[in-house]
Amino acid sequence: MATSFFNPQLRLLNALRAGVKPVMTFLGLPSFRTAQIVAQTGVDGVIIDCEHGNINDDAMHSSTAAIAAMGVSPLVRLRMTHPDLIKRALDAGAHGIVVPMINTAEEARAVVAHAKFPPQGLRGQGSAFPAIAHGIDLPTYIKTANDTLITCVQIETKLGVENVDAICAVPGVDMIFIGPNDLALSVLGYVPAKGDEPEFIDAIEKIVAAARRHGKWVSRLSNNGALCKEHLKVFDTVALSYDIRAIQNWYTSELQVARSL
């Protein structure tokens, strides 16, 4: 992602390029206000979860706008690799996409093709919204999008790990994201992983090594601040938990205090 164009609105991308270890989180609730609240906490990026979260197309649009307006980078995790979903996320103004369950280089190449404008890709143009979310005019957006949007693919299966080197070699893939729960299900047959299973550790190490070999950023989910701090010793960025889990954990913890004798 080498380009001379610098856009101060692209908080996550700029932090990654500077090597300052940005922190993201996941948004699963379909609320403009929740998006605002999460974005003002100090995170650098918010992944709007259209795969497992309760986020439809309308909520994705409003959340993207709300997060970008707070000076934070909205990314959209798609529910699958379909070109229309890539187009909708980017046309909403996402600063990047996160695509789950990528198992082959062919799948990665297809994602890149539909995330890039011609001549590098096949993406069509027809929306004014992305330029707004990037804080620039539309001609500048079209000219610079191919070099400033983050295309992130998730590796979270045995097959993905087997093909990780070929996936990481695909031009236009900028970041690899490890989904530890799905990876554990595929590799170990259960969740959550205890974290010390040799097969699980080996899979993560293979993914990180391949990403480094091909000059890709690499990221993962971290369940709490302590793990986040530990993971950032290895990873370029992490996603710190999830809005839904944060609410559940706070109420569970505080209710235990309130009801303790």
Side-chain angles (χ1 to χ4, degrees), residues 12-198:
L12 181 65
L13 175 64
N14 294 335
L16 285 166
R17 285 176 170 168
V20 296
K21 304 282 186 171
V23 176
M24 307 179 287
T25 191
F26 277 96
L27 181 78
L29 295 173
S31 166
F32 171 86
R33 293 302 182 192
T34 303
Q36 283 184 316
I37 291 166
V38 171
Q40 63 85 44
T41 60
V43 295
D44 301 291
V46 179
I47 302 171
I48 302 163
D49 190 5
C50 296
E51 182 191 16
H52 294 300
N54 185 26
I55 308 284
N56 62 17
D57 194 73
D58 187 53
M60 182 266 289
H61 265 264
S62 62
S63 295
T64 298
I67 293 163
M70 299 293 291
V72 175
S73 289
L75 279 70
V76 174
R77 178 159 75 171
L78 311 177
R79 62 181 180 266
M80 60 185 300
T81 60
H82 198 285
D84 285 356
L85 299 178
I86 297 172
K87 182 192 302 182
R88 292 296 290 169
L90 296 179
D91 279 0
H95 291 186
I97 53 172
V98 180
V99 187
M101 294 288 180
I102 295 300
N103 294 313
T104 67
E106 289 75 19
E107 291 173 352
R109 278 192 286 269
V111 168
V112 171
H114 292 289
K116 302 283 187 186
F117 287 124
Q120 290 95 332
L122 303 169
R123 181 184 171 193
Q125 191 281 319
S127 173
F129 299 134
I132 297 171
H134 285 239
I136 53 180
D137 60 74
L138 188 57
T140 302
Y141 174 81
I142 295 170
K143 182 179 178 180
T144 60
N146 284 358
D147 294 323
T148 55
L149 291 168
I150 298 171
T151 300
C152 174
V153 300
Q154 286 192 238
I155 295 181
E156 45 193 343
T157 65
K158 281 184 181 180
L159 183 58
V161 174
E162 289 172 9
N163 293 320
V164 65
D165 199 70
I167 292 169
C168 288
V170 172
V173 169
D174 304 305
M175 184 158 68
I176 307 299
F177 190 97
I178 297 174
N181 289 327
D182 278 324
L183 184 62
L185 269 177
S186 182
V187 172
L188 303 173
Y190 59 84
V191 291
K194 293 189 285 262
D196 59 357
E197 298 93 339

Side-chain angles (χ1 to χ4, degrees), residues 216-230:
K216 313 296 185 181
W217 294 310
V218 61
S219 180
R220 65 162 291 160
L221 175 70
S222 296
N223 286 331
N224 56 53
L227 285 172
C228 176
K229 186 175 182 178
E230 190 66 24

